[in-house]
Amino acid sequence: MQEDDMSSEKLGLVYLLTGGCGFLGQHLLKVLLEKEEKVKEIRLFDKHIDSSLEDRSTGQVKVSVTQGDITDYRSVLEACRGADLVVHSASLVDVWYRFPEETIHAVNVRGTENVIKACQELGVQHLVYTSSMEVVGPNVKGDAFIRGDEDTPYNVCHNMPYPRSKAEAEKLVLEANGTKVAGGACLYTCALRPTGIYGENHQLMKEFYMMGVRTGGWLIKGVPQNTEHGRVYAGNVAWMHMLAARALREHPERLGGEVYFCYDDSPYKSYEEFNMQFLSAFNFRSLRMPLCVLWLLACINELLRWLLRPVCNFTPLLNRYTLAIACTSFTVRSDKALRHFEYRPLYDWQQCQTRTQRWVDTFPLDTGGKDM
């Protein structure tokens, strides 16, 4: 470890979390406050801020919130000034055509370029990037990926802007490893690829619930019952980020330029079955449809999206891409993270389930189906 790093650790580290007010960002904040002893300030940089998060400051750690746009280099540069380590989680996740491709690219790719450039200009030596399993798959061809790791061959095939942008951004981050920063030192980078994240304040799970409310308590199913997906609790994703950040400082020669899948002990189930296990209190009823009917509905949704585009932004959860992904098994192992920086889940499945269920139980019961 270099002398500058050692002196900064004596005083405490300054972490910058891009996307820090979002779903994963808030879980990162919680884990850092509870588990990272060598931190004096956590900066949350986000376009949509929650200033109340500053109230989580403690006697030892200052939490500061900065509003800014990841696509604006000057904003990113100011946010990075004085930081010791950047966790870059700001991202625009969209597989429903809610945003133009140019917007997705601007946030996910140009935003990442801005973070790398700011680190190099300001002498920040450590950057952890929140990538995605969708950098690899699932692909729309239905090729299964079962208990795969970072070296497992797979037919990567991107036909949506979001996975393309994440793959491009991850490549930029990994290629930046070993580049020079101001002062002559090196920038060390690594990337984490979580599977489908869930947990408290997960918007997609809330949308799944709302879909059941809108249909009067009916949820359409049709994904093959043997389909398996890997889901990972947000608190464990945050924990892996913290461990990777710590190891990147202490062993940059081991983690620099590496990528890691991120998973925990959550059960392998299809997306719809996994979500339903948290929604049993609402007595939603399942309507199982043949897969060919679901494909027809997905095509109709896309046709309606195209026809309605001049008057409204019709973006249902079901389209041909999301159905193909939902029908394709994709599960990973986190063995490499265990070997490289001793990652084990901070929360076991029972704790993940309890914490998520406590949040789901705050959803309105009367709209969901106790009386249905």
Side-chain angles (χ1 to χ4, degrees), residues 22-283:
F23 169 53
L24 178 57
Q26 292 195 39
H27 282 272
L28 276 164
L29 172 63
K30 183 177 185 298
V31 167
L32 284 171
L33 287 173
E34 292 179 357
K35 300 296 182 180
E36 180 53 86
E37 298 177 353
K38 297 178 180 179
V39 59
K40 68 175 181 181
E41 182 182 355
I42 303 172
R43 298 178 185 170
L44 310 179
F45 177 82
D46 212 309
K47 187 173 184 178
H48 306 287
I49 64 168
D50 180 355
S51 57
S52 69
L53 294 174
E54 293 187 340
D55 297 338
R56 299 191 187 180
S57 297
T58 67
Q60 292 75 38
V61 183
K62 176 184 177 182
V63 177
S64 58
V65 175
T66 301
Q67 186 172 32
D69 190 334
I70 199 72
T71 65
D72 176 35
Y73 180 64
R74 286 180 295 181
S75 294
V76 176
L77 187 67
E78 285 308 306
C80 289
R81 198 176 299 279
D84 295 294
L85 187 144
V86 177
V87 178
H88 176 36
S89 295
S91 182
L92 186 55
V93 182
D94 178 31
V95 291
W96 308 280
Y97 305 100
R98 293 173 180 172
F99 298 94
E101 182 171 356
E102 297 77 14
T103 303
I104 296 171
H105 186 274
V107 173
N108 295 347
V109 180
R110 193 164 75 236
T112 300
E113 289 174 333
N114 286 342
V115 171
I116 294 170
K117 183 179 175 183
C119 288
Q120 293 168 334
E121 184 171 337
L122 296 172
V124 180
Q125 288 186 249
H126 303 102
L127 169 61
V128 178
Y129 175 59
T130 307
S131 187
S132 169
M133 71 172 188
E134 291 195 46
V135 165
V136 177
N139 63 29
V140 295
K141 298 179 179 180
D143 299 325
F145 189 88
I146 305 296
R147 315 293 191 270
D149 61 24
E150 295 79 1
D151 298 319
T152 302
Y154 189 71
N155 182 15
V156 178
C157 178
H158 299 312
N159 65 348
M160 283 286 280
Y162 171 68
R164 279 203 304 269
S165 69
K166 292 298 285 186
E168 187 174 347
E170 181 188 275
K171 186 171 183 286
L172 289 170
V173 169
L174 300 181
E175 288 178 345
N177 183 69
T179 59
K180 295 297 183 182
V181 301
C186 285
L187 174 63
Y188 297 104
T189 69
C190 68
L192 308 187
R193 294 173 179 166
T195 55
I197 307 177
Y198 71 95
E200 306 94 288
N201 301 313
H202 183 224
Q203 187 58 36
L204 269 183
M205 189 173 288
K206 187 71 174 283
E207 289 190 28
F208 190 78
Y209 157 80
M210 289 302 301
M211 186 166 58
V213 172
R214 287 192 297 269
T215 58
W218 288 98
L219 286 171
I220 297 173
K221 293 184 179 180
V223 171
Q225 293 182 315
N226 62 347
T227 303
E228 291 186 344
H229 297 121
R231 303 295 295 274
V232 58
Y233 178 62
N236 285 327
V237 178
W239 174 240
M240 181 185 271
H241 278 72
M242 196 204 83
L243 293 179
R246 182 186 293 169
L248 189 63
R249 299 194 315 267
E250 297 173 355
H251 303 286
E253 74 289 344
R254 182 188 305 161
L255 274 76
E258 296 290 340
V259 64
Y260 302 91
F261 277 126
C262 180
Y263 171 67
D264 55 19
D265 301 320
S266 302
Y268 296 117
K269 294 185 178 184
S270 69
Y271 286 123
E272 58 188 21
E273 292 298 334
F274 190 91
N275 290 340
M276 280 299 293
Q277 68 189 332
F278 293 102
L279 301 173
S280 59
F282 303 102
N283 292 336

Side-chain angles (χ1 to χ4, degrees), residues 294-348:
L294 279 183
W295 277 110
L296 178 60
L297 289 175
C299 292
I300 291 172
N301 279 344
E302 294 201 12
L303 177 61
L304 287 173
R305 179 182 62 84
W306 181 77
L307 291 173
L308 295 173
R309 188 165 50 184
V311 293
C312 69
N313 193 24
F314 178 68
T315 56
L317 293 179
L318 179 66
N319 58 50
R320 285 179 297 170
Y321 178 81
T322 58
L323 182 57
I325 297 307
C327 292
T328 304
S329 292
F330 197 95
T331 60
V332 306
R333 295 178 293 171
S334 293
D335 296 8
K336 182 178 176 181
L338 173 63
R339 295 194 311 272
H340 281 205
F341 51 92
E342 299 183 359
Y343 164 75
R344 294 177 179 85
L346 178 62
Y347 305 101
D348 62 27

